[in-house]
Amino acid sequence: MEIVVSGIRPTGNLHLGNYFGAIKNFIKMQKENKCYFFIADYHSLTTHPTPNDLHGNVKQVLVEYLAAGLDPDISTIYIQSDVPEIVELYLLLNMNAYLGELERCTSFKEKVRKHPENVNAGLLTYPTLMAADVIIHKASKVPVGKDQEQNLEMMRTFARRFNRIYKTDFFPIPSAYNFGKALVKIPGLNGVGKMGKSEEEGNALFLADNEKVIRKKVMRAVTDSGPIEMNQEKPEPIKNLFTLLEVVSSPDVVAHFNELYNKCEIRYGDLKKQLAEDMVEFCHPFKEKIEELSKNNNYLRKVVKMGAEKARESASKTIKEVREIIGFKEF
Ligand code: AMP
């Protein structure tokens, strides 16, 4: 049983890549560990959303993660800005975080390159806020993808540095949560690369998509002119369609289309029709839940309040001890 903290960025709808690549693992993880899931609304301020957008985005990800299976009764699900102790720890960590190391972060450098007009201090100190998010609960594990490895390394650096400066072993040094077998990568529908929310329109299938949209997107998926040799290797767009079929369809459906492909008798229209129907069936329960939860503000308020209480209980305990370690003492 580990203490695990995972942040959720309040941007964009959940797509199948998020579900199979992250949430499905989270659902299992939350049953076996003490999990804290937070919606990173402070982090999202680096891009200056309007007040309405900020609230709307937070509500949307809350609804979608709940609909997808995060369970507020067994996990602590909260909104970052409901836990001001995180900000205090962020400030304290910033005192021992150096310009050079923050500037060297790949994610910072990338942001500078892409948005030279908006290089704010929040972006520079993103890693210290991330470290505060995690160590505020004295977490030992963080579920991170490959692209987040450097951020994890920074969290470890700041936790270690605090322990060293104050000659303590107060903070556990967090490490990556291991999901066991290799993480699945869900491809997009445009024939190349993975599914992602910021890719071109129609590349991603969202859990909140309605039947019509799902059918349209799947039927438009990129294919090729068909196999010309028996048992030939599948090029990327076709392999991608089969990967999607594997995650939502039954094994005999996959076997059936594989056989047709190998015999050069496949008709991509039939494959897409089947994939579309299986996608519709897979996404339907999520969509229904999303709609139901979106209307139930009372329930959402209850979830958020309960999450904030549980998170603050843990965070305030940490901060109290940190203050003592640092030397903020009562007279
Ligand atoms: P994002 O909000 O796009 O950063 O995605 C959040 C998490 O969802 C990532 O850290 C991955 O674990 C997962 N994820 C996103 N896209 C995919 C994909 N196409 N295949 C598998 N996992 C994905």
Side-chain angles (χ1 to χ4, degrees):
M1 175 84 127
E2 308 269 4
I3 298 178
V4 186
V5 175
S6 181
I8 298 164
R9 284 186 292 172
T11 50
N13 293 82
L14 285 179
H15 54 70
L16 287 181
N18 298 134
Y19 182 75
F20 288 104
I23 301 168
K24 214 169 154 215
N25 296 320
F26 291 172
I27 293 169
K28 187 156 171 275
M29 181 175 81
Q30 69 180 349
K31 293 187 185 129
E32 296 157 1
N33 300 280
K34 189 170 170 52
C35 288
Y36 293 88
F37 297 104
F38 68 94
I39 299 176
D41 57 348
Y42 280 139
H43 282 282
S44 75
L45 294 184
T46 55
T47 57
H48 312 147
T50 67
N52 270 343
D53 282 352
L54 178 65
H55 180 73
N57 294 345
V58 168
K59 178 177 173 182
Q60 183 212 324
V61 290
L62 175 68
V63 162
E64 295 203 356
Y65 271 84
L66 292 172
L70 289 196
D71 184 345
D73 290 324
I74 55 175
S75 297
T76 301
I77 302 171
Y78 62 100
I79 296 169
Q80 188 185 28
S81 62
D82 279 342
V83 184
E85 290 81 2
I86 295 168
V87 187
E88 184 170 349
L89 186 55
Y90 166 59
L91 178 140
L92 300 172
L93 294 179
N94 273 336
M95 299 303 168
N96 295 304
Y98 293 91
L99 182 62
E101 63 188 340
L102 294 170
E103 277 179 333
R104 272 196 301 276
C105 279
T106 319
S107 47
F108 177 70
K109 286 197 281 198
E110 202 170 304
K111 293 267 159 57
V112 173
R113 195 171 49 78
K114 282 193 184 152
H115 304 285
E117 77 297 344
N118 183 29
V119 184
N120 58 66
L123 275 181
L124 182 73
T125 56
Y126 214 88
T128 47
L129 185 52
M130 275 182 107
D133 289 328
V134 169
I135 68 177
I136 193 76
H137 301 299
K138 300 183 79 173
S140 48
K141 294 282 170 193
V142 199
V144 286
K146 264 248 159 288
D147 54 333
Q148 297 277 315
E149 266 170 5
Q150 198 182 28
N151 287 326
L152 173 63
E153 208 37 64
M154 295 295 280
M155 290 174 203
R156 293 164 60 82
T157 299
F158 296 130
R160 247 191 244 117
R161 191 172 293 163
F162 180 93
N163 287 352
R164 199 187 63 241
I165 291 172
Y166 295 106
K167 300 187 176 51
T168 168
D169 56 2
F170 181 70
F171 284 121
I173 310 303
S175 57
Y177 187 92
N178 186 354
F179 286 113
K181 58 179 174 13
L183 292 175
V184 282
K185 190 180 106 184
I186 301 297
L189 291 168
N190 62 353
V192 286
K194 63 174 202 166
M195 187 174 285
K197 60 185 160 230
S198 54
E199 312 291 323
E200 70 185 74
E201 179 100 41
N203 183 39
L205 284 169
F206 297 102
L207 296 181
D209 277 346
N210 69 36
E211 293 183 21
K212 240 175 96 185
V213 170
I214 295 175
R215 289 201 180 95
K216 201 164 112 190
K217 285 182 182 173
V218 173
M219 295 314 287
R220 279 198 189 153
V222 174
T223 52
D224 62 8
S225 50
I228 41 172
E229 269 175 48
M230 303 280 270
N231 300 314
Q232 83 174 55
E233 210 184 305
K234 299 183 184 84
E236 193 176 2
I238 309 306
K239 202 158 59 187
N240 288 354
L241 282 183
F242 274 87
T243 304
L244 291 169
L245 203 64
E246 275 161 26
V247 294
V248 293
S249 303
S250 67
D252 36 308
V253 166
V254 180
H256 169 69
F257 285 104
N258 256 319
E259 195 188 327
L260 290 177
Y261 185 87
N262 287 335
K263 289 195 295 190
C264 299
E265 287 172 13
I266 193 154
R267 291 205 314 220
Y268 291 137
D270 294 344
L271 180 148
K272 287 184 185 179
K273 255 189 216 142
Q274 176 76 45
L275 179 60
E277 289 324 301
D278 292 342
M279 281 290 178
V280 165
E281 200 169 315
F282 178 82
C283 292
H284 185 68
F286 292 109
K287 184 173 168 49
E288 286 217 311
K289 267 223 174 90
I290 290 169
E291 279 173 7
E292 186 192 310
L293 285 169
S294 299
K295 286 185 248 157
N296 198 344
N297 254 333
N298 278 341
Y299 175 72
L300 297 178
R301 198 175 306 119
K302 233 169 63 190
V303 167
V304 165
K305 184 164 175 273
M306 179 170 80
E309 278 167 9
K310 285 198 278 180
R312 286 199 74 180
E313 195 185 316
S314 148
S316 56
K317 192 163 170 288
T318 305
I319 273 295
K320 185 168 178 289
E321 290 182 58
V322 164
R323 292 179 66 102
E324 276 168 25
I325 292 171
I326 288 185
F328 294 120
K329 298 204 172 127
E330 282 182 28
F331 283 97

